[in-house]
Amino acid sequence: MKKKPNLIQNLNNITRESEKKKRILSSAIKVFGEKGFQNATIAGIAKDAGIGDATIYEYFKNKEDLLLAVPVEITKELIPNINDHMMGIKGAFNKLRKFIWWWLNFVEKNPGYGSIVLLEIKTNRTYVSTEAYQAARNFYQIVLDIIKEGQEEGTIKKEIDVYLARSLCVGAIEHIIIRWLLKDRRYSLIQYADPLTDLLIDSFKTLELEGSERMSLTSKGKCNPKE
Amino acid sequence: MKKKPNLIQNLNNITRESEKKKRILSSAIKVFGEKGFQNATIAGIAKDAGIGDATIYEYFKNKEDLLLAVPVEITKELIPNINDHMMGIKGAFNKLRKFIWWWLNFVEKNPGYGSIVLLEIKTNRTYVSTEAYQAARNFYQIVLDIIKEGQEEGTIKKEIDVYLARSLCVGAIEHIIIRWLLKDRRYSLIQYADPLTDLLIDSFKTLELEGSERMSLTSKGKCNPKE
Amino acid sequence: MKKKPNLIQNLNNITRESEKKKRILSSAIKVFGEKGFQNATIAGIAKDAGIGDATIYEYFKNKEDLLLAVPVEITKELIPNINDHMMGIKGAFNKLRKFIWWWLNFVEKNPGYGSIVLLEIKTNRTYVSTEAYQAARNFYQIVLDIIKEGQEEGTIKKEIDVYLARSLCVGAIEHIIIRWLLKDRRYSLIQYADPLTDLLIDSFKTLELEGSERMSLTSKGKCNPKE
Amino acid sequence: MKKKPNLIQNLNNITRESEKKKRILSSAIKVFGEKGFQNATIAGIAKDAGIGDATIYEYFKNKEDLLLAVPVEITKELIPNINDHMMGIKGAFNKLRKFIWWWLNFVEKNPGYGSIVLLEIKTNRTYVSTEAYQAARNFYQIVLDIIKEGQEEGTIKKEIDVYLARSLCVGAIEHIIIRWLLKDRRYSLIQYADPLTDLLIDSFKTLELEGSERMSLTSKGKCNPKE
DNA sequence: AATGAATGAGCCTTCATTCAT
DNA sequence: CATGAATGAAGGCTCATTCAT
């Protein structure tokens, strides 16, 4: 009674369905990101998406499933995207700098997504074992790879535990992001990219690097060559 | 009928009232810590404390008030305690090492408290402006003071932004703790204290320190004196 | 599975929704009327209406809103109804007699509604400023109009304060009804209609009317012509 | 430990006890009158009386018992008081005028008591069979006696049903009082005494009285002497 | 596929009442 | 007597989920 399906629409069915799914996901990011998981309602997300409540259950098992779908789906696009950005960059430290900048920039542009991952998913006991949690964490595999690369190329101390080094990177980034998310968000996130990277490089770099490679890394000329 | 009062109990009358409040807080830490705020119930906390549901409302305004009371009350004891532990320690890096160890050790012994602060309070938009949130964050003022002290004594680079440095410390510590809280907690937290401190010192230290002070700091002899 | 829909039901779709609302209102009148507002429960009303508890909240904001909806909704039907009954009746006293009879008769047939208006709404401080209270009181505007009409036609003393006269009418009617509601309700209310009207007419009438018009008013020949 | 009882205090025990009871009753009238039965709390009444919650239960069985004690106790003082005021007044109509004035005046001076009787007791199904309800209603026995006296002395029509006549009086008085209680109470109640009495007298009086006795009753000279 | 009306399960909170002191 | 700390019982309300259309 509502709309007669025709051939073309049927042909497009597959894509159209995923488009509606994306619309739901988009509204979910928005609403979950603004209100948090508990305070968000299915009705609210459905209304934002311009669909009926029950329609959400056509695409997602339940409210939790919808929340968890966010990082799973988004990460699918995120990792190719960051990999694309990484191409052509040489050296672990240059890559690290790029990654940190890229991540801070992405969250600043997509605070809803950042909220969901950092405020909802990553601190919820029940989500540790889910695919969503893995997806979010796998994202940081990139950092691990960078550190390993640095060790292989000799710029990062070999005696450093790579997982601890990753914790240092990720912990600092996330800490800065979380503070920003909880505040008024009026200041820019990306301003932290370079200073933070500098600190991390100082922490990781082999001693021989002093005064040499680092020079080319710091944009602000903060480094102090030995002589 | 429940317990025969004796002289000592009578003498303790004044303290006994606050002891019941402490019993509630203790159960709140346990239950909130295990199940999270949303999944915890007042009935569950009351049962754990061995009291009636309504009694909780004699001491706390509501469920949220009880949650927020946890960091407020505990921090009151925590800061004097850590200050006490800090006494007699010389040098910013030695203090930092001690602090990290102390904090990791405390959370390992009190995972419920850690859960409440890191998983409930610190990532909740609605609690940002509360006294509880401030109490939890004020705890890290200690780190800030240590960093400033290091800059004054010349062991920490003066060009470092102290707040960024604190974010590095706190972010890393919390990241390690959160992972531990969400996992099975079967491994020890304090094992990260020294390696993490080493990484942070490398990040903060003035270049001239190479080979001198740091030698005495690392217990594991990881440092590489320039020769 | 519950009931097979047929054509007629489909045609009634629009009305069916308001029919469910009416069913809730009907149960609310019954339960509130029997137990009073405080002792009535949403669960009880829902059960009486044969629906789930939550369904009530689809149609009414909360318990209080449901109570207050009763006079608002009912009065909408009541006033046209009484106006219809008044048509074709000449003279203020004849109208007054009819009104009193109609009102007593209505309450006798709908004691639940009477209870809600007279025992819950009209004696509750918090409901004075509500639409419900106004609706219930506006009903008595009819009495005011009758009295004014009587003064214009010369049958009711012009020096009488119309509002005081209304208080006399309404106060007496309500007093009789309240007593009936609180008793076993085994006696008939409408028996009071004529005697009460006679008393009121004696109170209101201009002196010249003695022995003339009133004769035709009293059905029971109680009047005593002057000789 | 709190206060040492001495002989004199012990001797006064009996009176002191009833004084405390009166203090509780006084606070009950105040709090019940202001907030209504449901919204009033035992704690609130106890606080107003300057005693502990549990003390109320030393004098009254429960909250309901305390409410119902109000009219029972007060009426004990009220009826002798009004009887005292009635002394020396001749004629049913003069007595009626006095009674109406006295009652309106009393409520205006004691709105709390009026609220309890008219808003809580007299409209509550559960209190119909209580002593309190009877006490409140027995008060109006006075009106009944006045009407009977009027019939005996020939000033009130003998064919009037005395109970209906009482309903007319009581209904009108209470209606006026209830409106006043629910409004801001800024206008005076006693202004209604004379006009209302005049209306009632017109309703009750035997026809022969026209122009004779009524002359002396109406203060405003509204009467129309026969010649 | 899409919907929205219907719902039941669940929990916080209040407060009259009691009892040990 | 007087008390206040302790409590159990009870109910309104929300919202994720379902199902008939």
Side-chain angles (χ1 to χ4, degrees):
Chain A
M1 206 177 192
K2 286 211 163 175
K3 47 184 176 183
K4 255 192 187 167
N6 57 36
L7 268 176
I8 294 172
Q9 285 183 324
N10 279 333
L11 287 171
N12 286 346
N13 251 351
I14 303 156
T15 29
R16 275 218 301 148
E17 189 189 279
S18 62
E19 271 172 26
K20 180 161 286 193
K21 191 174 182 177
K22 278 186 181 173
R23 205 158 81 227
I24 295 173
L25 270 173
S26 175
S27 293
I29 291 175
K30 186 179 162 191
V31 178
F32 282 143
E34 283 171 3
K35 307 191 174 183
F37 180 72
Q38 288 293 344
N39 295 320
T41 63
I42 290 289
I45 294 168
K47 194 179 175 186
D48 185 88
I51 56 166
D53 299 23
T55 309
I56 289 180
Y57 290 86
E58 294 284 325
Y59 297 92
F60 302 95
K61 224 181 73 206
N62 51 33
K63 189 187 180 187
E64 193 175 300
D65 187 48
L66 174 57
L67 174 74
L68 298 177
V70 172
V72 172
E73 297 295 324
I74 300 297
T75 309
K76 278 180 189 166
E77 303 177 6
L78 232 53
I79 294 186
N81 193 320
I82 177 68
N83 282 336
D84 191 45
H85 271 259
M86 287 304 206
M87 285 172 74
I89 297 180
K90 278 284 176 192
F93 291 152
N94 289 321
K95 283 183 177 173
L96 182 63
R97 191 174 301 273
K98 173 73 177 185
F99 176 84
I100 290 173
W101 180 90
W102 188 92
W103 184 226
L104 290 175
N105 183 61
F106 180 81
V107 173
E108 190 164 337
K109 300 289 184 299
N110 304 277
Y113 177 71
S115 293
I116 290 172
V117 173
L118 293 181
L119 304 184
E120 304 299 332
I121 311 273
K122 292 207 70 173
T123 59
N124 195 309
R125 305 150 180 68
T126 54
Y127 300 151
V128 193
S129 51
T130 63
E131 187 191 0
Y133 186 77
Q134 285 310 313
R137 291 196 59 235
N138 283 346
F139 176 73
Y140 288 123
Q141 172 70 30
I142 297 168
V143 179
L144 209 58
D145 293 339
I146 292 174
I147 294 167
K148 285 174 181 169
E149 186 183 329
Q151 286 185 327
E152 282 165 18
E153 72 186 21
T155 51
I156 291 181
K157 284 178 282 191
K158 290 204 171 49
E159 66 270 23
I160 288 178
D161 179 86
V162 289
Y163 297 101
L164 184 64
R166 186 186 56 180
S167 287
L168 197 65
C169 293
V170 171
I173 296 173
E174 289 186 352
H175 189 263
I176 288 165
I177 292 175
I178 287 173
R179 278 189 59 217
W180 181 81
L181 288 170
L182 296 177
K183 301 260 182 182
D184 47 28
R185 303 180 190 178
R186 253 177 283 173
Y187 59 92
S188 174
L189 258 185
I190 50 174
Q191 64 176 299
Y192 292 102
D194 272 328
L196 175 60
T197 310
D198 291 343
L199 273 185
L200 290 170
I201 288 172
D202 276 345
S203 180
F204 299 159
K205 70 173 187 295
T206 50
L207 300 176
E208 296 72 30
L209 285 180
E210 288 298 326
S212 57
E213 184 183 344
R214 198 164 164 271
M215 223 164 94
S216 64
L217 293 171
T218 45
S219 48
K220 297 175 185 175
K222 273 185 185 171
C223 66
N224 299 307
K226 251 187 173 167
E227 60 276 301
Chain B
M1 209 179 199
K2 285 203 166 176
K3 45 183 175 184
K4 259 194 186 164
N6 55 37
L7 268 176
I8 294 172
Q9 285 185 322
N10 279 335
L11 288 171
N12 285 348
N13 247 350
I14 304 154
T15 27
R16 266 214 291 161
E17 191 190 280
S18 62
E19 270 173 27
K20 176 160 285 194
K21 191 174 182 180
K22 278 187 181 172
R23 204 158 83 226
I24 296 173
L25 269 173
S26 176
S27 292
I29 292 175
K30 186 179 163 192
V31 179
F32 281 143
E34 282 170 5
K35 307 192 174 184
F37 179 72
Q38 288 292 345
N39 296 320
T41 63
I42 290 289
I45 294 169
K47 195 178 174 184
D48 184 88
I51 56 168
D53 299 24
T55 307
I56 290 179
Y57 291 87
E58 293 280 322
Y59 296 92
F60 302 95
K61 227 180 71 208
N62 52 33
K63 191 187 179 186
E64 191 175 301
D65 187 48
L66 175 56
L67 174 73
L68 298 178
V70 172
V72 172
E73 297 295 324
I74 299 297
T75 310
K76 279 180 190 165
E77 302 177 6
L78 233 53
I79 293 186
N81 194 321
I82 176 70
N83 282 336
D84 191 47
H85 271 259
M86 286 304 208
M87 286 171 75
I89 298 180
K90 280 280 176 193
F93 290 153
N94 288 322
K95 284 183 177 172
L96 183 62
R97 191 175 300 274
K98 173 73 177 185
F99 177 84
I100 291 174
W101 180 89
W102 188 90
W103 184 228
L104 290 175
N105 181 59
F106 181 82
V107 173
E108 189 164 338
K109 300 291 184 296
N110 304 278
Y113 177 71
S115 293
I116 289 172
V117 172
L118 293 179
L119 305 185
E120 304 296 335
I121 310 273
K122 291 206 69 172
T123 57
N124 194 311
R125 313 156 177 62
T126 53
Y127 300 152
V128 191
S129 51
T130 62
E131 189 192 359
Y133 186 79
Q134 284 310 313
R137 290 198 58 233
N138 283 345
F139 178 71
Y140 289 122
Q141 173 70 30
I142 298 168
V143 178
L144 209 59
D145 293 337
I146 292 173
I147 294 166
K148 285 175 180 170
E149 186 183 330
Q151 287 185 324
E152 283 166 19
E153 73 185 20
T155 51
I156 291 181
K157 283 179 283 192
K158 289 202 170 52
E159 66 269 23
I160 289 179
D161 179 86
V162 287
Y163 298 100
L164 184 64
R166 186 186 55 178
S167 287
L168 198 64
C169 293
V170 171
I173 295 173
E174 289 187 352
H175 189 262
I176 288 166
I177 291 174
I178 288 173
R179 278 188 60 218
W180 180 81
L181 288 170
L182 296 176
K183 300 264 182 182
D184 47 27
R185 304 179 189 177
R186 253 178 284 173
Y187 61 92
S188 173
L189 259 184
I190 50 173
Q191 64 176 299
Y192 293 102
D194 271 328
L196 175 61
T197 310
D198 291 342
L199 273 184
L200 289 170
I201 288 172
D202 277 344
S203 180
F204 297 160
K205 71 172 186 295
T206 51
L207 300 175
E208 295 73 31
L209 283 182
E210 288 298 326
S212 58
E213 184 183 346
R214 197 166 163 271
M215 221 165 97
S216 65
L217 292 171
T218 45
S219 47
K220 297 176 184 174
K222 273 182 182 171
C223 66
N224 299 307
K226 249 184 173 171
E227 65 263 301
Chain C
M1 210 180 199
K2 286 204 166 178
K3 46 184 175 183
K4 257 193 184 165
N6 56 36
L7 267 176
I8 293 171
Q9 286 184 322
N10 280 333
L11 288 171
N12 286 348
N13 248 348
I14 305 153
T15 27
R16 266 215 293 160
E17 191 190 279
S18 61
E19 270 173 27
K20 175 160 288 194
K21 192 175 181 178
K22 279 186 182 173
R23 205 159 82 226
I24 295 173
L25 270 174
S26 175
S27 292
I29 292 174
K30 186 179 162 191
V31 178
F32 282 143
E34 282 171 4
K35 307 191 173 184
F37 180 71
Q38 288 291 345
N39 296 320
T41 64
I42 290 290
I45 295 169
K47 195 178 175 186
D48 184 87
I51 56 168
D53 299 24
T55 308
I56 289 179
Y57 292 88
E58 293 280 322
Y59 296 92
F60 302 94
K61 227 180 69 208
N62 51 32
K63 192 187 179 186
E64 190 174 301
D65 187 49
L66 175 56
L67 174 73
L68 297 178
V70 172
V72 172
E73 297 296 324
I74 300 297
T75 309
K76 279 180 189 165
E77 302 177 6
L78 232 53
I79 293 185
N81 194 322
I82 176 70
N83 282 336
D84 192 47
H85 270 258
M86 287 304 207
M87 285 172 75
I89 298 180
K90 279 282 178 195
F93 290 152
N94 289 320
K95 282 183 179 172
L96 182 63
R97 190 175 300 275
K98 173 72 178 183
F99 176 83
I100 290 173
W101 180 89
W102 188 91
W103 183 228
L104 290 175
N105 182 60
F106 181 81
V107 173
E108 188 165 340
K109 300 288 184 297
N110 304 278
Y113 176 71
S115 293
I116 290 172
V117 172
L118 293 180
L119 304 185
E120 304 297 334
I121 310 274
K122 291 206 71 172
T123 59
N124 193 310
R125 307 154 178 66
T126 53
Y127 298 153
V128 192
S129 51
T130 62
E131 188 191 0
Y133 187 79
Q134 284 309 314
R137 290 198 58 233
N138 282 345
F139 177 72
Y140 289 123
Q141 172 70 28
I142 298 168
V143 178
L144 209 59
D145 292 337
I146 292 174
I147 295 167
K148 285 174 180 169
E149 185 183 330
Q151 287 185 325
E152 283 166 18
E153 72 185 20
T155 51
I156 292 181
K157 283 178 283 191
K158 289 202 171 51
E159 65 268 24
I160 289 179
D161 180 87
V162 287
Y163 297 101
L164 184 64
R166 185 187 55 180
S167 287
L168 197 66
C169 294
V170 171
I173 296 173
E174 289 187 352
H175 188 264
I176 288 166
I177 292 175
I178 288 173
R179 278 188 59 216
W180 181 81
L181 288 169
L182 296 176
K183 301 263 182 182
D184 46 27
R185 304 178 190 179
R186 253 177 283 172
Y187 60 91
S188 174
L189 259 185
I190 50 174
Q191 63 176 300
Y192 292 102
D194 272 329
L196 175 60
T197 309
D198 290 342
L199 273 185
L200 290 169
I201 289 173
D202 277 345
S203 179
F204 299 160
K205 69 173 187 297
T206 50
L207 299 176
E208 295 74 31
L209 285 181
E210 289 298 323
S212 57
E213 184 182 345
R214 198 167 162 270
M215 224 164 94
S216 65
L217 293 170
T218 45
S219 48
K220 296 177 184 173
K222 273 185 184 169
C223 65
N224 299 305
K226 246 180 179 170
E227 56 268 303
Chain D
M1 207 179 193
K2 288 209 163 176
K3 46 184 175 183
K4 256 192 185 166
N6 57 36
L7 268 176
I8 294 172
Q9 285 184 323
N10 280 333
L11 287 171
N12 286 348
N13 251 350
I14 302 156
T15 28
R16 275 217 301 149
E17 190 189 279
S18 62
E19 269 171 28
K20 181 162 284 195
K21 192 174 182 178
K22 278 186 182 173
R23 205 159 82 225
I24 296 173
L25 271 173
S26 175
S27 293
I29 291 175
K30 185 179 164 191
V31 178
F32 281 142
E34 281 171 6
K35 307 190 173 182
F37 179 71
Q38 287 292 344
N39 296 321
T41 62
I42 289 290
I45 294 169
K47 194 180 175 186
D48 184 88
I51 56 166
D53 299 23
T55 308
I56 289 179
Y57 290 86
E58 293 286 326
Y59 298 93
F60 303 95
K61 225 179 73 205
N62 52 32
K63 190 186 179 186
E64 193 174 298
D65 188 48
L66 174 57
L67 174 73
L68 299 178
V70 172
V72 172
E73 297 296 324
I74 300 298
T75 310
K76 279 180 189 167
E77 302 176 6
L78 231 54
I79 294 188
N81 193 322
I82 175 70
N83 281 337
D84 191 48
H85 270 259
M86 286 305 206
M87 286 173 75
I89 298 180
K90 279 284 176 193
F93 290 153
N94 288 322
K95 283 184 178 173
L96 182 63
R97 191 175 300 273
K98 171 74 177 185
F99 176 84
I100 290 174
W101 180 89
W102 189 91
W103 183 227
L104 290 176
N105 183 59
F106 180 81
V107 172
E108 189 165 338
K109 301 289 185 298
N110 304 277
Y113 177 70
S115 292
I116 290 173
V117 172
L118 292 180
L119 305 184
E120 304 297 334
I121 310 274
K122 291 208 69 174
T123 59
N124 194 309
R125 313 153 176 64
T126 53
Y127 300 153
V128 193
S129 51
T130 63
E131 188 192 359
Y133 187 79
Q134 284 311 313
R137 289 199 57 235
N138 283 346
F139 177 72
Y140 289 122
Q141 173 69 29
I142 298 168
V143 178
L144 209 58
D145 293 338
I146 292 174
I147 295 167
K148 284 174 181 171
E149 184 183 332
Q151 287 185 325
E152 282 166 19
E153 71 185 19
T155 51
I156 293 182
K157 284 177 282 190
K158 290 205 170 48
E159 65 269 23
I160 288 179
D161 179 85
V162 288
Y163 296 101
L164 185 64
R166 185 187 56 181
S167 288
L168 196 66
C169 293
V170 172
I173 295 173
E174 289 186 353
H175 189 263
I176 288 167
I177 292 175
I178 288 173
R179 278 188 60 216
W180 181 80
L181 288 170
L182 295 177
K183 301 261 183 184
D184 46 27
R185 304 179 188 180
R186 253 177 284 173
Y187 60 92
S188 174
L189 260 184
I190 50 173
Q191 63 177 301
Y192 293 101
D194 271 330
L196 175 61
T197 310
D198 290 343
L199 274 185
L200 290 170
I201 288 173
D202 277 344
S203 180
F204 297 161
K205 71 172 186 295
T206 50
L207 300 176
E208 294 74 29
L209 282 182
E210 290 295 327
S212 59
E213 184 183 345
R214 197 165 166 269
M215 221 162 98
S216 64
L217 293 171
T218 46
S219 47
K220 297 174 184 175
K222 276 180 183 173
C223 65
N224 299 304
K226 247 181 178 170
E227 60 276 300

